[in-house]
Every structure is written in structure tokens, then in C-alpha cells.
Amino acid sequence: MSQTEFEAATAGLRDLLPSLIADLEQAYPYAAAVVTDTAGLEVSVDTRKQTVNFRQPMRGTVFTVFDGRTVHELATSSWDPGELTRLAARLKGRALGLRPPLIEAGQPESGHHVGAALRPAESVPLDEKVAFCASTRAALAALDQRIVNAMVAYTEGTERKLFVNRSKVVSDEVTRVSARSIAFASDGGQARYYMTRAGGTGGFELAAFTPEELERVVKVAVDLLGAGKVDPGTYPVVVHPEVGGIIAHEAFGHGVELDMFLKGRARAQEYLGRQVAADLVSLVDDPSLPGAYGSYAFDDEGQRSAPTPILTRGVFLEGLSDFATSAALRAKRTANGRRQDFRRKAYPRMSNTFFVPGQTPVGALFEGIKDGFYLESGLSGMEDPKDWGIQVIAYHGRRIRNGKLTGDYITNVGITGFVPDLLMSIDAVANDFGLHPGGCGKGHKEFVPVSTGGPHLRMKARLG
């Protein structure tokens, strides 16, 4: 569905919904509606098989009202005007009968946003997507005889939404494309793998790997066959943007999503306005970043995207909010009200979360490290918002000796600690920048697309 088709398909709703919102606001101080349309696919090719899975297209509509204390919602999988009129009437019928004064609905805004793409994914034939995966897989497998399997996967997902409240009639179309290439190596006794990823918001052109990137995937997978384990202890550490991004996401992730403040489950709340990181450390969540995987023009509650400075020069300035937490806590509204789909409620959620680049050349970060580690690829992370503990698992790294990288590889390295202690130990921030696409769940559910990253960082970390 092109931009024109989406606007045409929702033309009647753009006329109907403002009148339904006005009627709801006869009973409530605030009302809004969001109309969504999503679809996607995944192509995967490995040594044994190829698969194509289409994500079932999904349409839905959510009406939201606020009675001054509580948010209420009703949702339907229909765009039918009659069904939407009946749903709004049901919601109005639940009002208590005493309407407080109208609540601010934001600056007046209208229009449609569609992300830039050199080759819109929906215009590329499926055969070409399968061929991309197959040819990339074959290139990986041919690079070394110790590669026993190689897999290449391509995914795309398009999300279209129309948001309407008293002030706004705005729509957005975002297509997210990602690809990953994985090489599995074996020496007959053990097996290792390594992976690289590409992606963002845009078109099929984002699904691309250079020959050098594929050669590195194979080389690292093979080199890891001889990898050891780290001896537990505290070391000087340089982290790649992929690992630093996980630290950013976990250190200032769910613990600064303001629903956690509302529930009294975030230690970070005690540190608002306080120094929690070294002076040279700043951290931002920015859904307006062009081309990033977690970007969007406005959130699922109509808030125009803009960067939120979570940390500035080491000071914790603000968390991430949605409509409900902003109203309950009287906090600044940020563009982080996101829902997995129309069947789920909105929560404050991260988008693109990253450390801000500094001034130091990457190579200079290794200087002066007599014995330490360079952690090069991330695997997973988790946090304990209540006590502000963090655990990040780096998939692999290398030893640093006398300021130089060695060929001594390690795997499955854990970074643990108290978030302010870890961030206060950062003593150098590089001048590079990288983002990595991914997904984030709220607990074990409520998944949304995000990206994480930033520059290389040097710190002291407890490894194990």
C-alpha cells in the first residue's frame, strides 16, 4: 500500500474521527483515536533450506479517553465507520457524568509523513529478496572450509498509523528493513558463530553487506574456535558501540520509563537532577533520528518525535514518558508512548537510545591500558530497575596488552555492577558513532523496534 493508497483508504476516517472525538469530549476532558495498519515478511536461507514467512496484515483502531485521573481505552480490528461510531458511543456511555475542564491536546498539526527510501521494500520482487539471501549465504560459505553452515535472513515491516485528537490529524508510514548474516564454524570438536547486522528505516537498499563485512564474519567465527574465558575481576575495558549501546539501553532503559516511577520500582527516580556518570558522558533517546531502526514521526499517542536528553554531562535530567505517566506525575511529555499493536496498551518505551560521541580518536582509547579487554560484540542485557543493577553479556572480545590488541579471544563475557558506579568510571568517549537495530520487550512481552549504540567507550568494569 503506497502513501496515496493509505491516505485514500483512511480519507473517510479523517472526516469521521474528529467528530467522534468532539462528541467524546462532551463527556471527557480528553479523547483521541489511533488507526493502524501493519504488514511484513521474513526471508531466511541457510545450508539446508529457505523459508518465506509473511506477517499477517493487521488493521485496528483504538479510542482513548482520560477522565482526569484514569486512561480508558476500547479497541477494534475494524475500520468500518459504523463500528467505530458504536465503539465511541460505548466509551462515552461509561463516563461518570462530571467532566473536568478540557486538557491540552498539543499544537494544531495535520499532514502525512512517509519515510525516505531509495528502493521501497514493497516494490522489490520477492524473488530478488530470496536471491539476496541465497547469494550472500553462498559468499559466506565459500570463504573458509571450516564454515559448516551459513544463514542470511532479511526482514521488513511496514507500520502505518493515523492519529486524531482535538488538535491533530496526522499520519505516518514507516518501513523497517533489517538483514543479518551468520557464519557457523567448526574444527571438528567445537563450534562457534559470528553475526553482522544491517538495517534501519528506509528501503531495500539497507539490506546490504560489503565483502569486507562478510570476510570479518567468517574470520571472527573461525578465530573464536580458540577463544577462552575471562578470569573474573575488574579491568580497564574498551567497549564497541554495539556493547556500549546495550549498556545505554539497560542502564537508562526500563528504569527511566516513567511507568516504573509511577509504580515505585525505579531506583533511578532518587537520582533525578544528580550526577550519575562522568562529566564527559551524555545519553539521548531520539525517535526523530533519520533512518534509524527505532525512528518514527510521532508516537502512538500523537506526540511529535524529538530527542530526550536523559543524561547531559553526567547529570540525569529526565525520563521517558507517555500520556498517562506525564499526566499522573506532572512530568514533561516525551515522544515515547508506544504500543506493540492496537491490541496492547501504550507504555513509555525507548526508541533510539545511545551515548553521545566525544572527542577522542578510537585508537587513543587503547593507549595506556597495560592489561585489559576490548569487548567487540553484544549478546544480551538485563537490568534490575529497583536496585539499578545491570548485567550485559558481550559475545566476544580480545585482550589488550600494553596498549595493543592481541589475538587472545574470549567469549560470553559478563559486565555487572551498579549503574552509577559503572558510568562514573568512564574516562574516555570516542568520536565515532554506530547504531544497531533490534527489538525490546517490556518484561517478557510488548515488543517494539529500537536501536542502540553510540561511540566506543573506555571504562573500568567488573567482568566474569
Side-chain angles (χ1 to χ4, degrees):
M1 181 183 287
S2 69
Q3 172 193 2
T4 303
E5 289 171 335
F6 178 69
E7 290 183 287
T10 57
L13 300 181
R14 294 166 192 264
D15 294 330
L16 171 67
L17 290 174
S19 65
L20 296 181
I21 296 303
D23 189 51
L24 282 167
E25 289 191 341
Q26 296 300 310
Y28 296 97
Y30 178 80
V34 63
V35 175
T36 64
D37 178 38
T38 59
L41 68 85
E42 178 169 359
V43 178
S44 177
V45 177
D46 65 16
T47 303
R48 295 177 295 277
K49 65 183 184 302
Q50 64 182 39
T51 60
V52 177
N53 293 313
F54 289 91
R55 186 190 307 169
Q56 187 68 28
M58 184 186 297
R59 285 184 172 185
T61 305
V62 184
F63 283 100
T64 301
V65 294
F66 182 58
D67 63 13
R69 297 185 62 182
T70 306
V71 173
H72 306 268
E73 294 188 329
L74 284 177
T76 175
S77 59
S78 176
W79 286 8
D80 177 71
E83 171 63 17
L84 299 187
T85 300
R86 287 188 291 271
L87 200 67
R90 280 177 56 196
L91 202 50
K92 184 179 180 182
R94 296 181 180 183
L96 298 178
L98 295 174
R99 188 195 73 176
L102 289 175
I103 291 172
E104 173 63 39
Q107 293 296 317
E109 188 176 0
S110 63
H112 179 75
H113 172 269
V114 59
L118 296 178
R119 296 191 68 197
E122 64 183 13
S123 70
V124 177
L126 178 59
D127 287 351
E128 184 174 345
K129 296 166 185 174
V130 174
F132 157 74
C133 293
S135 62
T136 305
R137 190 217 68 81
L140 278 173
L143 287 171
D144 194 292
Q145 63 182 6
R146 288 164 290 185
I147 300 303
V148 295
N149 193 6
M151 185 186 80
V152 177
Y154 164 82
T155 63
E156 67 185 46
T158 298
E159 175 187 272
R160 303 172 180 89
K161 61 188 174 187
L162 165 67
F163 177 84
V164 178
N165 70 7
R166 185 186 334 124
S167 299
K168 301 180 181 182
V169 180
V170 290
S171 55
D172 186 17
E173 179 178 346
V174 179
T175 297
R176 295 181 175 90
V177 169
S178 67
R180 61 188 186 276
S181 294
I182 311 173
F184 298 86
S186 175
D187 59 6
Q190 63 175 329
R192 298 289 187 190
Y193 75 91
Y194 189 61
M195 173 178 70
T196 191
R197 295 173 292 172
T201 57
F204 184 68
E205 69 276 0
L206 298 175
F209 300 104
T210 66
E212 292 76 18
E213 288 173 322
L214 299 183
E215 288 168 5
R216 182 171 185 270
V217 169
V218 170
K219 181 181 185 306
V220 173
V222 170
D223 286 344
L224 288 177
L225 291 171
K229 299 292 185 181
V230 68
D231 292 325
T234 300
Y235 298 90
V237 171
V238 175
V239 299
H240 184 277
E242 184 174 333
V243 180
I246 299 177
I247 293 173
H249 183 93
E250 300 300 344
F252 286 92
H254 299 300
V256 300
E257 293 169 346
L258 292 190
D259 60 319
M260 303 299 283
F261 283 27
L262 201 57
K263 297 170 185 174
R265 293 174 57 190
R267 181 83 173 271
Q269 189 171 8
E270 302 172 15
Y271 288 79
L272 270 171
R274 293 171 56 184
Q275 191 91 19
V276 297
D279 285 346
L280 70 170
V281 178
S282 296
L283 188 147
V284 172
D285 185 271
D286 187 2
S288 68
L289 200 64
Y293 196 70
S295 295
Y296 41 86
F298 55 88
D299 70 10
D300 292 331
E301 299 179 306
Q303 185 74 6
R304 173 61 65 175
S305 295
T308 299
I310 298 172
L311 278 182
T312 297
R313 296 189 59 80
V315 177
F316 176 28
L317 294 184
E318 58 183 304
L320 308 178
S321 69
D322 62 355
F323 178 88
T325 56
S326 176
L329 296 170
R330 300 185 184 278
K332 177 184 172 184
R333 179 88 176 272
T334 69
N336 297 94
R338 306 181 68 188
R339 56 179 91 231
Q340 177 176 317
D341 55 54
F342 78 93
R343 302 168 300 180
R344 316 292 185 105
K345 74 180 293 292
Y347 292 92
R349 304 301 304 277
M350 290 170 278
S351 60
N352 306 303
T353 312
F354 53 88
F355 289 104
V356 177
Q359 303 297 320
T360 306
V362 174
L365 269 62
F366 297 86
E367 296 173 3
I369 297 180
K370 188 173 182 179
D371 183 26
F373 290 95
Y374 176 38
L375 303 183
E376 297 181 73
S377 63
L379 185 61
S380 64
M382 61 186 296
E383 62 174 326
D384 172 14
K386 195 159 188 177
D387 293 315
W388 220 359
I390 188 174
Q391 181 184 72
V392 171
I393 305 298
Y395 177 60
H396 91 281
R398 283 183 281 171
R399 193 135 206 163
I400 305 168
R401 294 278 195 191
N402 299 317
K404 304 291 184 183
L405 270 175
T406 72
D408 296 333
Y409 280 82
I410 53 172
T411 60
N412 295 315
V413 188
I415 303 172
T416 59
F418 181 51
V419 167
D421 289 346
L422 183 66
L423 299 186
M424 288 294 287
S425 79
I426 296 174
D427 65 0
V429 179
N431 57 6
D432 63 333
F433 185 78
L435 284 177
H436 304 273
C440 174
K442 191 84 161 174
H444 63 281
K445 56 188 179 68
E446 310 296 345
F447 287 92
V448 295
V450 299
S451 68
T452 58
H456 279 74
L457 306 170
R458 188 175 67 199
M459 64 186 69
K460 284 263 183 81
R462 187 166 69 239
L463 305 183

Coordinates of all heavy atoms in Angstrom, one line a residue, residues 12 45 47 59 61 66 70 117-118 127 179 197 205 359 362 407 449:
G12 N -12.1 8.7 4.7 CA -13.3 8.8 5.4 C -13.1 8.9 6.9 O -13.9 9.6 7.6
V45 N 17.5 -18.0 4.5 CA 18.2 -19.1 3.7 C 19.4 -19.6 4.4 O 20.3 -18.8 4.9 CB 18.6 -18.5 2.3 CG1 19.4 -19.6 1.5 CG2 17.4 -18.0 1.5
T47 N 22.1 -23.5 4.8 CA 22.6 -24.5 4.0 C 21.6 -25.5 3.6 O 21.6 -26.1 2.5 CB 23.7 -25.2 4.8 OG1 24.7 -24.3 5.2 CG2 24.4 -26.3 3.9
R59 N -5.1 -4.7 10.8 CA -5.7 -3.3 10.9 C -6.4 -3.2 12.3 O -6.9 -4.2 12.8 CB -6.7 -3.1 9.8 CG -6.1 -2.8 8.5 CD -7.2 -2.5 7.5 NE -6.6 -2.0 6.2 CZ -7.4 -1.6 5.2 NH1 -8.7 -1.5 5.3 NH2 -6.8 -1.1 4.1
T61 N -8.2 -0.1 15.4 CA -8.5 1.3 15.8 C -8.6 1.2 17.3 O -9.2 0.3 17.9 CB -9.8 1.8 15.2 OG1 -9.7 1.7 13.8 CG2 -10.0 3.2 15.6
F66 N -9.5 10.2 28.7 CA -8.9 10.4 30.0 C -9.9 11.2 30.8 O -10.5 12.2 30.4 CB -7.6 11.2 29.9 CG -6.9 11.5 31.1 CD1 -6.5 10.5 32.0 CD2 -6.6 12.8 31.5 CE1 -5.8 10.8 33.1 CE2 -5.9 13.1 32.7 CZ -5.5 12.1 33.5
T70 N -7.8 8.7 35.2 CA -7.6 7.3 34.6 C -7.7 7.4 33.1 O -8.7 8.0 32.6 CB -8.5 6.3 35.2 OG1 -8.4 6.3 36.7 CG2 -8.2 4.9 34.7
A117 N 13.0 6.4 1.0 CA 13.6 5.1 0.6 C 14.0 5.2 -0.8 O 13.3 5.7 -1.7 CB 12.5 4.0 0.8
L118 N 15.2 4.7 -1.1 CA 15.7 4.7 -2.5 C 15.0 3.6 -3.3 O 14.6 3.8 -4.4 CB 17.2 4.4 -2.5 CG 18.1 5.5 -1.9 CD1 19.6 5.1 -2.0 CD2 17.9 6.8 -2.6
D127 N 11.3 -12.6 -5.3 CA 12.4 -13.4 -5.9 C 13.8 -12.7 -5.6 O 14.8 -13.4 -5.4 CB 12.2 -13.6 -7.4 CG 11.1 -14.6 -7.7 OD1 10.7 -15.2 -6.7 OD2 10.8 -14.8 -8.9
A179 N 18.7 -7.0 8.0 CA 19.3 -8.2 7.5 C 20.4 -8.6 8.4 O 21.0 -7.8 9.1 CB 19.8 -8.0 6.1
R197 N 24.9 -7.4 11.3 CA 23.5 -6.9 11.0 C 23.6 -5.6 10.3 O 24.5 -4.8 10.4 CB 22.7 -6.7 12.3 CG 22.5 -8.0 13.1 CD 21.8 -7.7 14.5 NE 22.8 -7.0 15.3 CZ 22.5 -6.4 16.5 NH1 21.2 -6.5 16.9 NH2 23.4 -5.8 17.2
E205 N 17.5 -1.0 0.0 CA 18.9 -0.7 -0.1 C 19.6 -0.9 1.2 O 20.9 -1.0 1.2 CB 19.1 0.7 -0.6 CG 18.7 1.8 0.3 CD 17.2 2.2 0.3 OE1 16.5 1.5 -0.5 OE2 16.8 3.0 1.1
Q359 N 35.3 13.4 21.9 CA 36.3 14.0 21.1 C 37.5 13.1 20.9 O 38.4 13.5 20.1 CB 36.8 15.3 21.8 CG 35.7 16.3 22.1 CD 35.1 16.8 20.8 OE1 35.8 17.1 19.8 NE2 33.8 17.0 20.8
V362 N 39.4 6.8 18.3 CA 39.1 5.5 18.8 C 40.5 4.8 19.2 O 40.6 4.2 20.3 CB 38.4 4.6 17.7 CG1 38.3 3.1 18.2 CG2 37.0 5.1 17.4
G407 N 45.7 -11.3 19.8 CA 44.8 -12.3 19.2 C 44.2 -13.2 20.2 O 43.7 -14.3 19.8
P449 N 10.3 -2.1 18.0 CA 11.6 -1.9 17.4 C 12.4 -0.8 18.0 O 11.8 0.3 18.3 CB 11.3 -1.7 15.9 CG 9.9 -1.1 15.9 CD 9.2 -1.8 17.1

